[in-house]
Amino acid sequence: MFERTTGLLLAVSLAGAAGTAFAETPLERGAYLVGTVMTCHNCHTPIGPAGPDMSKALTGGTVLFDEPAFRVRGSNLTPDREHGIGAWSDAELKTALREGVRPNGVPLAPIMPTGFYGVLTPSDTDAIVAYLRSLPPSSNRVEAPVYRAAVEREVMPGAERPTDPARFADKVELGRYLVTIAHCLECHTPRVDGRLNFAAAGAGGQEFRGPWGVSVAPNISSHPQKGLGGWSDAEIRRALTEGLSRDGRKLKPPMGYGFYAKMTPADVDAVVAYLRTLPPRE
């Protein structure tokens, strides 16, 4: 989570807004966010032929992001004091998560989508920190990041400040929140001169290369032909949670459908409801 690219509350009312029928503990909420919506294991857990090795969850990623401006792997997020984040204070963890800055003042590589995390509610931020603190410490050493040029953080419009949880009573607003912290529009938005063109958010078009070959982020706007406008809700849910396109074609990584499959039905429905509101993009 602190080097990638790709709301817990005790109150029953807010737990309900997050798609559960009972009050979660902060640890449960943090585990849910990290393990499903935010897809942190995509970058911070070793990936093998069968997917993430959950026996080494969040001990550091094996995927290398070698870009012109930086070379990084997903950090060790366990509370090991030497090789993980055990020496970081809660406040430092929150600053890294929400503002993209390490305790030593060095910015995180923008492959870590902190520009989408400013929207996190205070309770969800606390829950994520609580969950990371609960992990067994691992002494796995991840190579230090290399910065070849200055990096610039990209902030999604609307994600500059924490969301008011009262807004989650509206399904679309809950979906907006979930899609933002899932940083869906980090991949499904075209880049112009290397920067995300949020004026065309949802239009897709970015290419991602990996062991799977080359995948192209599809258009997820409400365009009736080029986007999801002609899809049924059930077809969108299937794509999100099963990785199957409308025509039955298997979707390629890095789409995190394996993680989204563990989201609550209410949260998935909220995501679908929000995607319906994205303006149609060519």
Side-chain angles (χ1 to χ4, degrees):
M1 198 167 49
F2 291 122
E3 293 285 2
R4 162 67 203 161
T5 134
T6 165
L8 186 138
L9 297 174
L10 293 175
V12 175
S13 60
L14 197 48
T20 60
F22 53 90
E24 297 169 288
T25 67
L27 285 182
E28 290 168 341
R29 179 63 175 170
Y32 176 73
L33 292 172
V34 168
T36 63
V37 185
M38 297 171 71
T39 63
C40 302
H41 294 287
N42 251 355
C43 297
H44 294 278
T45 294
I47 303 290
D53 181 356
M54 298 308 288
S55 69
K56 299 178 181 178
L58 303 176
T59 61
T62 52
V63 177
L64 174 66
F65 301 97
D66 196 357
E67 305 288 340
F70 55 82
R71 173 191 168 96
V72 299
R73 297 184 193 271
S75 300
N76 180 336
L77 298 184
T78 74
D80 184 85
R81 291 189 62 83
E82 183 176 0
H83 300 298
I85 56 174
W88 297 24
S89 69
D90 286 2
E92 288 170 338
L93 277 172
K94 293 174 186 178
T95 296
L97 181 66
R98 296 173 49 83
E99 300 176 26
V101 180
R102 292 174 176 272
N104 61 5
V106 175
L108 296 171
I111 206 74
M112 170 63 178
T114 63
F116 294 77
Y117 294 155
V119 75
L120 281 164
T121 66
S123 291
D124 276 352
T125 306
D126 289 345
I128 292 166
V129 171
Y131 173 65
L132 295 179
R133 296 289 194 208
S134 77
L135 296 171
S138 167
S139 60
N140 181 48
R141 181 175 181 176
V142 177
E143 63 182 273
V146 175
Y147 297 95
R148 306 181 179 110
V151 295
E152 187 174 355
R153 184 166 170 263
E154 296 181 276
V155 179
M156 178 179 171
E160 300 88 354
R161 59 188 61 84
T163 296
D164 180 355
R167 301 177 66 176
F168 297 161
D170 182 321
K171 181 188 290 189
V172 170
E173 289 302 315
L174 174 60
R176 184 192 309 275
Y177 178 73
L178 295 170
V179 166
T180 302
I181 65 173
H183 48 96
C184 303
L185 295 178
E186 179 190 18
C187 295
H188 293 276
T189 295
R191 289 186 178 272
V192 176
D193 296 329
R195 292 187 58 79
L196 289 169
N197 177 21
F198 286 115
Q206 288 193 58
E207 291 188 353
F208 299 91
R209 300 178 183 272
W212 56 84
V214 179
S215 58
V216 180
N219 186 323
I220 60 170
S221 76
S222 58
H223 193 283
Q225 286 82 42
K226 297 184 178 181
L228 302 177
W231 293 40
S232 69
D233 287 0
E235 288 169 338
I236 299 175
R237 283 195 294 268
R238 186 177 72 161
L240 282 169
T241 62
E242 299 179 37
L244 292 175
S245 189
R246 191 183 190 191
D247 58 8
R249 173 175 47 87
K250 189 70 174 176
L251 298 175
K252 294 180 180 181
M255 173 68 177
Y257 49 81
F259 301 106
Y260 304 145
K262 301 173 185 177
M263 289 174 63
T264 65
D267 279 357
V268 174
D269 286 347
V271 168
V272 173
Y274 172 67
L275 292 178
R276 294 290 193 201
T277 70
L278 288 178
R281 310 289 191 192
E282 291 284 347

